Amino acid sequence: MQIIELGKVSNSGVMKVATGFVWDWAFVLKMLPLLLKGAVMTVTLTACAITFGTGIGLIIAFMKIIKNPVLNFIGGIYTWVFRGIPLLVQLFIIYYALPMVLGITLDAFPAAVIGISLCGGAYIAEIIRAGVQSVDKGQMEASMSLGMGYFQAMRRVIVPQTYRRLIPPMGNEFITLLKDTALVSTITMTELTRTAQIYSASHFKPFEMFLTAGVIYLILTTFFTVVFGKLETKLAQSE
Amino acid sequence: MIKVESISKSFGSLKVLDNINLNISPGEVVVVIGPSGSGKSTLLRCINYLEKIDDGKIYIDGKLVGKKEINGRLVEAPAKEVYKMRENIGMVFQRFNLFPHMTVLQNITEAPVLVKKVSKQEAFKQALQLLEKVGLDEKANAYPAHLSGGQQQRVAIARALAMEPKIMLFDEPTSALDPELVGEVLAVMKDLAKEGMTMVVVTHEMSFAKEVADRVIFMDEGKIVEEGPPSQIFTNPSHPRTREFLVKIL
Ligand SMILES: Nc1ncnc2c1ncn2[C@@H]1O[C@H](COP(=O)(O)OP(=O)(O)OP(=O)(O)O)[C@@H](O)[C@H]1O
Ligand SMILES: [Mg+2]
């Protein structure tokens, strides 16, 4: 077994580079299918979180934008709570505490999806609200002065103007959601991070496992960066 | 046509409109002047109920604006009725407020198709006529960002006219324009006035006021200080504050 002494400082004060550490390619290749399987779960979780999170975000944003004090209040409470509590704690509450209180036991997967979506929804709601409210007030006034109703103006004039401004922050948020799925490893969800964790512990190869996992995450997040970058230039051209 | 009956409006503790009375007959062109913050924009915005009033009544064609009388009590009218009322009142803004994601043609046809359920074909035909009228028929497929300020404002006027309003409100339509572009917008407004459109125009373009206005209203601190035909207001104002103001802008 190799001993890893990365970054250990010797008494002469000089950094000692990995003593006797050898990167084990064979092990990485052997584990790659397992890590990829974990990555598929990570992608699945991300896809669910994006779908439900965006749905929740749209609803909450709508509640916050519309002129209705009750809905404004509910929307405000929602973002206050779900942005104010760490996702990790939210996941523990959903997975470990709720069953005790309500007697409902959730499987890890639904618990994970619910947790990430609820939290992501709060951030997405804020992004959408900010996007809609960044449209010049004159646009709503002009629409109204032409006899349009509030919803007609929203649908035809205001919302279409937000698409381009929403792309960069939404891209960021999707990347955050993807990375946040690593947290559900704590509620026994076997996705990429937990897969790496399990096998690095059993084979004492944390460096290989976590670095490979890191590279897979990097590939996935780069995919979002590229796609959203393309979308942005495309919409910029059409304007 | 427009009857404003002692309306008042405050923003917080600031009284922006203070007991305003105004009667405008069909075909009349009224120019409103006054220092910044005197409430000119707010008055226009109250007329089409973009701004609610605290007190008083506004009638358009004898019909109460934004309110309803139920058992002798005034209550807010349903939103639908307010929207309907606005179809009769066109408004042109200082900053044009064209829809940047739509072409000129879409800007003009959007409301007639969406609100009045005019067929697309008919709306296009009418839009092209209006564009010809404001001298921009070759810009039909351009986006607002590619037009000069003067052109944008003329499109904005065409857009308002597409709803076939009975009244047109203009809030400083030329003050965001480079001086050399002011003339083309004023020319369109003059044509409109000649055709008999009822117009309320907030502007400091004295040439326009002198030539087209039937009446000039001077506002200060939320009140109508003085009103009269342009010849009288400009050459022989009776109120010292009007005189002071005119000295500054002429
Ligand atoms: N939505 C608002 N909330 C608070 N105060 C407002 C609002 N709209 C206008 N005001 C204030 O009301 C006063 C009158 O505003 P208004 O825009 O009617 O003046 P104006 O005569 O059009 O001025 P200007 O020549 O600068 O356009 C100003 O002091 C302005 O700051
Ligand atoms: Mg103004």
Side-chain angles (χ1 to χ4, degrees), chain A residues 52-97:
Chain A
F52 294 121
T54 306
I56 292 170
L58 281 169
I59 294 167
I60 299 296
F62 174 78
M63 290 168 85
K64 294 181 83 155
I65 292 164
I66 196 178
K67 277 186 211 128
N68 179 319
V70 179
L71 292 181
N72 294 162
F73 182 74
I74 298 172
I77 293 280
Y78 183 91
T79 41
W80 176 59
V81 168
F82 287 98
R83 286 200 311 167
I85 300 174
L87 176 56
L88 192 58
V89 176
Q90 291 180 36
L91 289 169
F92 286 165
I93 293 174
I94 292 169
Y95 191 64
Y96 296 116

Side-chain angles (χ1 to χ4, degrees), chain B residues 226-241:
Chain B
E226 183 169 358
E227 60 182 303
S231 53
Q232 182 231 312
I233 299 282
F234 291 138
T235 54
N236 189 20
S238 61
H239 205 284
R241 269 196 287 176

Side-chain angles (χ1 to χ4, degrees), chain A residues 136-153 155-158 160-161 238-239, chain B residues 45 48 50 83 86-87 89-91 93 97-102 110-111 114-115 117 143 146 159-160 163:
Chain A
D136 180 32
K137 287 205 165 45
Q139 293 290 308
M140 181 53 96
E141 294 199 335
S143 310
M144 291 294 218
S145 77
L146 290 165
M148 290 186 207
Y150 177 80
F151 291 104
Q152 286 178 326
R155 185 166 56 83
R156 299 288 304 179
V157 178
I158 309 297
Q161 290 185 52
S238 72
E239 236 167 63
Chain B
R45 295 158 52 79
N48 71 357
L50 284 176
Y83 301 156
R86 289 201 188 109
E87 292 177 27
I89 309 173
M91 186 156 186
F93 302 86
N97 296 343
L98 291 179
F99 307 137
H101 58 303
M102 298 182 191
E110 183 64 23
L114 192 66
V115 179
K117 313 288 176 207
Y143 280 90
H146 298 137
R159 176 176 72 174
M163 290 299 288

Side-chain angles (χ1 to χ4, degrees), chain B residues 37 40-42 94 171-172 202:
Chain B
K40 310 178 295 293
S41 297
T42 308
Q94 184 174 354
D171 192 2
E172 305 202 38
V202 175

Side-chain angles (χ1 to χ4, degrees), chain A residues 17-235:
Chain A
V17 186
T19 321
F21 171 76
V22 180
W23 175 264
D24 189 346
W25 275 113
F27 179 69
V28 170
L29 279 179
K30 201 177 104 194
M31 288 298 151
L32 201 56
L34 286 167
L35 285 174
L36 289 179
K37 203 176 149 216
V40 169
M41 180 47 83
T42 292
V43 169
T44 310
L45 283 165
T46 307
C48 291
I50 287 176
T51 310
F52 294 121
T54 306
I56 292 170
L58 281 169
I59 294 167
I60 299 296
F62 174 78
M63 290 168 85
K64 294 181 83 155
I65 292 164
I66 196 178
K67 277 186 211 128
N68 179 319
V70 179
L71 292 181
N72 294 162
F73 182 74
I74 298 172
I77 293 280
Y78 183 91
T79 41
W80 176 59
V81 168
F82 287 98
R83 286 200 311 167
I85 300 174
L87 176 56
L88 192 58
V89 176
Q90 291 180 36
L91 289 169
F92 286 165
I93 293 174
I94 292 169
Y95 191 64
Y96 296 116
L98 275 192
M100 293 183 164
V101 181
L102 299 176
I104 318 164
T105 315
L106 284 173
D107 285 342
F109 183 79
V113 169
I114 291 171
I116 307 173
S117 304
L118 286 174
C119 184
Y123 285 94
I124 292 172
E126 277 307 286
I127 291 171
I128 296 172
R129 183 194 60 78
V132 169
Q133 287 177 350
S134 76
V135 175
D136 180 32
K137 287 205 165 45
Q139 293 290 308
M140 181 53 96
E141 294 199 335
S143 310
M144 291 294 218
S145 77
L146 290 165
M148 290 186 207
Y150 177 80
F151 291 104
Q152 286 178 326
M154 271 292 173
R155 185 166 56 83
R156 299 288 304 179
V157 178
I158 309 297
V159 171
Q161 290 185 52
T162 66
Y163 295 150
R164 193 160 77 92
R165 331 178 180 206
L166 286 185
I167 285 174
M170 285 300 262
N172 271 337
E173 181 54 30
F174 288 178
I175 288 172
T176 303
L177 283 179
L178 174 82
K179 291 188 294 180
D180 279 354
T181 59
L183 289 173
V184 304
S185 59
T186 58
I187 57 167
T188 75
M189 202 56 227
T190 314
E191 38 61 76
L192 182 53
T193 300
R194 194 164 143 87
T195 308
Q197 236 171 5
I198 291 171
Y199 294 101
S200 76
S202 60
H203 294 75
F204 303 104
K205 297 258 189 210
F207 200 56
E208 278 83 353
M209 289 309 280
F210 286 120
L211 198 65
T212 311
V215 169
I216 296 175
Y217 275 118
L218 203 53
I219 291 169
L220 293 176
T221 50
T222 306
F223 169 77
F224 276 121
T225 312
V226 170
V227 167
F228 274 83
K230 284 235 165 82
L231 255 177
E232 200 183 350
T233 38
K234 202 172 157 202
L235 276 182

Side-chain angles (χ1 to χ4, degrees), chain B residues 46-157:
Chain B
C46 285
I47 291 177
N48 71 357
Y49 220 62
L50 284 176
E51 209 74 74
K52 288 187 175 160
I53 51 176
D54 302 334
D55 237 324
K57 289 174 191 168
I58 299 172
Y59 296 92
I60 306 276
D61 271 343
K63 207 165 171 288
L64 207 50
V65 171
K67 310 258 184 202
K68 246 187 161 163
E69 218 156 355
I70 293 175
N71 305 331
R73 272 191 329 125
L74 274 190
V75 295
E76 291 292 323
K80 274 227 169 86
E81 283 179 26
V82 177
Y83 301 156
K84 191 88 199 136
M85 173 277 297
R86 289 201 188 109
E87 292 177 27
N88 299 318
I89 309 173
M91 186 156 186
V92 174
F93 302 86
Q94 184 174 354
R95 305 222 50 90
F96 329 133
N97 296 343
L98 291 179
F99 307 137
H101 58 303
M102 298 182 191
T103 63
V104 165
L105 209 53
Q106 289 168 330
N107 262 278
I108 301 174
T109 54
E110 183 64 23
V113 172
L114 192 66
V115 179
K116 285 172 90 177
K117 313 288 176 207
V118 175
S119 78
K120 275 217 171 104
Q121 236 176 340
E122 210 171 307
F124 279 142
K125 220 175 89 194
Q126 182 208 22
L128 289 172
Q129 282 168 357
L130 285 168
L131 279 175
E132 205 178 306
K133 181 175 168 154
V134 301
L136 285 171
D137 29 345
E138 82 282 22
K139 295 287 183 190
N141 293 311
Y143 280 90
H146 298 137
L147 302 180
S148 74
Q151 291 172 331
Q152 288 191 49
Q153 195 60 298
R154 285 185 282 153
V155 173
I157 294 172

